[in-house]
């Protein structure tokens, strides 16, 4: 009998909300992104909601934006993910802990050791979100004037992953005998130096920490480009996908899985989890009202600047309380302009409302009552568009609590989400195999 | 009235014990250096003993040694300090958490952000042990064939510290207004990009996390060379000193403090804490018997190899159960040879016992009953040799418990060690001032 297909859910915190006004929403904790107690409460709530993972996005810079927008942005301060997640590990028992770490501005030895340490401290709940860092502001904090060109970044990422996974395999799982009688701490036949020499890295090894509990922490990626998709199909176990229209999500899903088929990887060994912004209400009207309230908290000057960029025209000249006038084609991104025009028409938004949507968060989302959200998620799950979602909350704790208290039980009633954690590790909860050790396991490994 | 002079105590875990046989001692936890629960229990015991700090030494490699010695060494596996300490922060309230991080194999932006994150998560208990990494095995894990030459390492360390402290000053302490009404998250006049360009680093900034609770985490160093002493006198707040003879410790102490005088730093703003191995017994005899037991657990082949290196002759030819024969002068380090010969004579050791001391731990220590240890510590404290000690335990949990339960109360009775923590932060407990912000504080800072 085929097993019931079930959702996997990650919670994306960057560091708290993706919507630029989340911190102003009534009841939010405005200091949450540098208040450890609040973040710990969020992680514990997510664990009560049986989420697969707490997923910490990151940048290595204060991002460049006009000061009027910057001074309103809570993203300017956030914890380093690999410093925050070990602390959250102590206050949780089951939820996975996924840290973003850049392959462009790190050394593989550090990332291998830190991720292995997190995996031991959390008893097998670590994940690594591999990013290549495309923001030029990050380059300037690491001695470079320009960020690396796209293809170079991806070649480096590929080699970086090879080195890190090779370092994780330095020790056989049973290397440490710790025989107090004879005084032998480990079996030297079960230790191997990687001795890697490649285009970007030269790393002797071995890693100075025992093999991670999970063999390897779970590897997560978000690349949507041709190079990013291929890297994901070859090396990722979770893909943080863009949301968007159902048809384009299906096409992306099919593309990733067929790339896996072509290289002989089992398609169940990678979970595609689109990012979804969620606003939950008791009714559809309440959810829409919550979102309207949240959007209304986006400062108009920042909002109109965002909208102008998307439309490719100076939108500050329009009447803020009138509908969007016709916009001629410009040099701006056609898709962004069309998306804004469709949005204005579909929801009958004024210029102000549209601008605040653009300046708040205008990406894919589920806005509605719990049953309607569950219906939509079910459709994505059963029509080849997703293996689950990476949820972004409207605000916290309120928006997070709403999801856990209202949507999760509905998903559980339908049998498409777990009531209890299935396994002890993140890998087990995601239904992913434990990787064999390239040096010590004779059984053939998928890789 | 002058305040009573008091000891400061750090506990050095590398990752658990410095003596190579610590993990074999009866009652030790042999897996402690990758068992988080055990390390958490140690940290909590140290906090009960009112230690200033848990100090985590580190290397970025499996160190090079003959396989017969290596396979007996527990140091081959250890947690990354900056991943372990945030987890320990959650399970403790008062004790400082000092992480070793290399200036040779890191980027300043990462260290600034991770240390700031640890400082926020621990509510002001972070410290940074600045090391320049002289071990050639570390170089080989970071793309280099040879480690950097000494003077270059120190110039790089100096610039690294300037960049890190500059990044910590990116935000004024009161930058984050988080005004929910107006939507202003921070005051842009209270944010400054460092824009550093130097010999080794080019870092724009600002750092993407609020200023640390302590202003700056406490800066710790161990350099004993001319360059190391000068760097310490200029930038360190705690010096991890070598122990040794009282007279040479006094000379070192006086040298560091007079270097501070010469550059106009307040000599109380740096604490000299020599490393001290401690074995506690109810009586002197019991302590000596414990140490003899511990030494006896050092494997003879490894031990004799260590002794041969120190003496500059092949000691394996000597009768293990006879006294050390006369050793002619050799090309070996004269001080190591003389120290071994003096040790053998002073304690009437056989070749085997001497070898096991050399292969276990032959550095400075306090071995005795609690009152005798307290007498010695008092002498160091009141005769200008130390501001306290960095304690290394013979084994754990036993050796650590003995110190906390037997020695600490004796120090407290004498009024030379705290009964309760004085402050909320590591800096306050050490009696160190909170650094002003170079960009935003008008009052003159000591620098």
């Amino acid at each position: 009998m085929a097993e019931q297909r079930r959702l996997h859910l990650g919670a994306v915190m960057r560091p708290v909300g993706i919507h630029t006004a989340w911190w102003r929403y009534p009841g939010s904790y405005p200091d949450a992104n540098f208040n450890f107690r609040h973040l710990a409460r969020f992680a514990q709530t997510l664990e009560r909601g049986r989420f697969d993972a707490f997923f910490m996005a990151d940048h290595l810079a204060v991002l460049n934006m006009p000061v009027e927008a910057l001074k309103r942005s809570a993203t300017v301060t956030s914890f380093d993910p690999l410093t925050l997640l070990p602390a959250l590990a102590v206050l949780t028992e089951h939820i996975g802990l996924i840290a973003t770490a850049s392959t462009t501005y790190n050394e593989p030895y550090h990332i291998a050791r830190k991720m292995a340490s997190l995996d031991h401290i959390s008893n097998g709940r670590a994940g690594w979100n591999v990013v290549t860092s495309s923001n030029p502001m990050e380059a300037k904090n690491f001695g470079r004037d320009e960020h690396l060109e796209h293809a170079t970044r991806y070649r480096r990422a590929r080699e970086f992953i090879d080195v890190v996974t090779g370092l994780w395999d330095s020790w056989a799982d049973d290397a440490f005998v710790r025989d107090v009688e004879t005084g032998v701490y480990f079996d030297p036949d079960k230790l191997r130096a990687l001795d890697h020499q490649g285009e970007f890295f030269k790393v002797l090894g071995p890693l100075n920490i025992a093999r991670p509990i999970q063999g390897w922490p779970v590897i997560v990626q978000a690349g949507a480009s041709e190079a990013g998709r291929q890297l994901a199909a070859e090396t990722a176990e979770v893909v943080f996908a863009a949301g968007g229209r159902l048809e384009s999500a299906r096409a992306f899903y099919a593309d990733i899985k067929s790339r896996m088929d072509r290289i002989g990887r089992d398609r169940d060994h990678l979970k595609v989890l689109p990012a979804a912004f969620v606003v939950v209400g008791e009714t559809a009207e309440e959810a829409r009202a919550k979102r309207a309230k949240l959007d209304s908290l986006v400062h108009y000057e920042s909002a109109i600047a965002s909208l102008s960029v998307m439309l490719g025209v100076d939108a500050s000249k329009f009447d803020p309380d009138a509908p969007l006038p016709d916009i001629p084609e410009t040099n701006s991104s056609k898709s962004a302009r069309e998306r804004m025009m469709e949005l204005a028409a579909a929801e009958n938004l004024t210029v102000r409302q549209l601008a605040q949507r653009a300046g708040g968060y205008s990406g894919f989302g589920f806005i509605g009552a719990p049953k309607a959200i569950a219906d939509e998620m079910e459709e994505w799950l059963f029509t080849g568009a997703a293996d689950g979602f990476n949820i972004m909350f409207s605000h916290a704790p309120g928006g997070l609590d709403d999801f856990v208290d209202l949507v999760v039980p509905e998903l559980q009633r339908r049998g498409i989400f777990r009531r209890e954690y299935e396994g002890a590790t993140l890998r087990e909860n995601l239904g992913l195999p434990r990787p064999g050790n390239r040096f010590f396991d004779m059984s053939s490994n998928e890789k």
Side-chain angles (χ1 to χ4, degrees), chain A:
Chain A
M1 196 180 88
E3 221 178 301
Q4 161 79 56
R5 193 166 157 76
R6 287 185 170 179
L7 292 165
H8 294 283
L9 294 179
V12 179
M13 311 296 270
R14 184 190 171 268
V16 175
I18 187 77
H19 194 289
T20 58
W22 71 263
W23 66 275
R24 297 182 69 191
Y25 195 88
S28 273
Y29 300 152
D31 64 338
N33 45 355
F34 57 110
N35 183 319
F36 175 70
R37 266 168 222 263
H38 291 331
L39 294 172
R41 178 202 186 292
F42 300 162
Q44 290 169 329
T45 303
L46 292 167
E47 185 161 275
R48 179 164 61 78
R50 306 293 184 258
F51 269 65
D52 291 77
F54 180 101
F55 180 112
M56 189 157 174
D58 196 40
H59 279 113
L60 297 168
V62 171
L63 300 185
N64 199 14
M65 50 179 109
V67 70
E68 278 303 308
L70 188 67
K71 76 181 186 187
R72 300 172 188 285
S73 167
T75 61
V76 294
T77 176
S78 67
F79 288 123
D80 169 66
L82 275 166
T83 313
L84 175 65
L85 297 185
L88 292 180
V90 174
L91 299 175
T92 53
E93 277 181 72
H94 302 286
I95 195 167
L97 300 162
I98 299 175
T100 296
S102 166
T103 54
T104 300
Y105 302 118
N106 277 297
E107 291 280 346
Y109 198 90
H110 285 310
I111 296 304
R113 184 148 179 251
K114 287 171 194 295
M115 285 287 169
S117 297
L118 176 61
D119 204 53
H120 282 279
I121 290 169
S122 65
N123 281 313
R125 295 186 282 136
W128 172 26
N129 179 35
V130 180
V131 299
T132 68
S133 301
S134 63
N135 193 292
M137 293 305 286
E138 298 180 292
K140 292 180 201 299
N141 289 330
F142 293 89
R144 302 217 181 102
D145 290 320
E146 297 292 333
H147 62 97
L148 289 183
E149 170 268 320
H150 188 270
T152 311
R153 287 208 315 275
Y154 274 86
R155 284 206 317 283
R156 184 178 159 110
R158 180 55 184 270
E159 188 180 333
F160 197 111
I161 293 169
D162 283 347
V163 176
V164 168
T165 55
L167 288 170
W168 285 335
D169 287 346
S170 295
W171 302 87
D173 289 314
D174 58 353
F176 292 95
V177 294
R178 298 190 297 273
D179 186 332
V180 171
E181 275 313 303
T182 62
V184 173
Y185 195 77
F186 71 89
D187 177 351
D189 291 339
K190 298 190 172 175
L191 168 64
R192 186 79 68 95
L194 179 65
D195 201 10
H196 171 91
Q197 299 202 27
E199 181 184 356
F200 298 94
F201 304 107
K202 197 166 120 185
V203 179
L204 178 58
L207 193 65
N208 59 343
I209 184 165
R211 194 163 192 251
I213 305 284
Q214 298 182 97
W216 303 353
V218 173
I219 294 177
V220 182
Q221 279 164 53
S225 67
E226 171 66 27
R229 289 175 185 216
Q230 191 57 27
L231 184 70
E234 293 175 12
T235 65
E237 301 180 292
V238 171
V239 167
F240 181 96
R245 289 172 195 280
L246 195 50
E247 312 82 64
S248 55
R250 281 191 200 120
F252 177 82
Y253 187 97
D255 179 59
I256 292 283
K257 301 270 173 159
S258 66
R259 285 173 194 259
M260 294 177 72
D261 295 342
R262 286 201 288 278
I263 57 171
R265 264 189 91 192
D266 183 331
R267 38 167 71 202
D268 287 342
H269 294 176
L270 183 156
K271 309 297 174 186
V272 176
L273 308 185
F277 178 67
V278 173
V279 184
V280 188
E282 300 274 354
T283 61
E285 293 66 40
E286 191 190 89
R288 281 195 295 268
K290 280 184 177 180
R291 202 236 287 244
K293 169 72 182 171
L294 186 61
D295 284 349
S296 78
L297 296 170
V298 177
H299 191 258
Y300 188 65
E301 276 180 52
S302 320
I304 208 75
S306 298
L307 181 62
S308 300
V309 169
M310 288 192 185
L311 294 175
V313 299
D314 179 2
S316 69
K317 296 177 301 187
F318 302 152
D319 177 356
D321 297 308
L324 188 70
D326 277 342
I327 312 282
E329 200 156 326
T330 68
N331 284 332
S332 165
S333 153
K334 195 177 165 198
S335 69
R337 191 175 61 87
E338 283 181 356
R339 195 158 61 83
M340 285 300 115
M341 290 172 66
E342 280 173 23
L343 195 55
E347 299 191 29
N348 200 21
L349 302 175
T350 63
V351 167
R352 182 192 309 276
Q353 288 167 329
L354 183 66
Q356 288 176 320
R357 178 71 58 82
Y361 183 71
S362 61
F364 175 71
F366 296 122
I367 319 296
K371 279 184 201 300
I373 292 176
D375 286 344
E376 285 192 80
M377 287 187 168
E378 211 169 332
E379 184 178 12
W380 282 64
L381 179 66
F382 289 113
T383 63
D387 297 310
F389 296 95
N390 273 308
I391 306 294
M392 303 182 294
F393 304 103
S394 52
H395 61 290
L400 195 162
D401 290 348
D402 287 346
F403 189 89
V404 166
D405 294 331
L406 303 174
V407 180
V408 166
E410 180 61 31
L411 299 172
Q412 289 169 331
R413 263 192 297 277
R414 297 175 185 211
I416 58 169
F417 192 58
R418 68 170 69 83
R419 288 179 187 273
E420 297 300 335
Y421 286 98
E422 299 88 353
T425 66
L426 173 57
R427 198 167 270 291
E428 287 168 8
N429 288 323
L430 285 167
L432 298 169
R434 187 175 190 277
N437 187 313
R438 73 190 63 184
F439 300 126
F440 300 105
D441 292 332
M442 292 303 108
S443 59
S444 69
N445 303 323
E446 180 212 355
K447 270 310 337 166

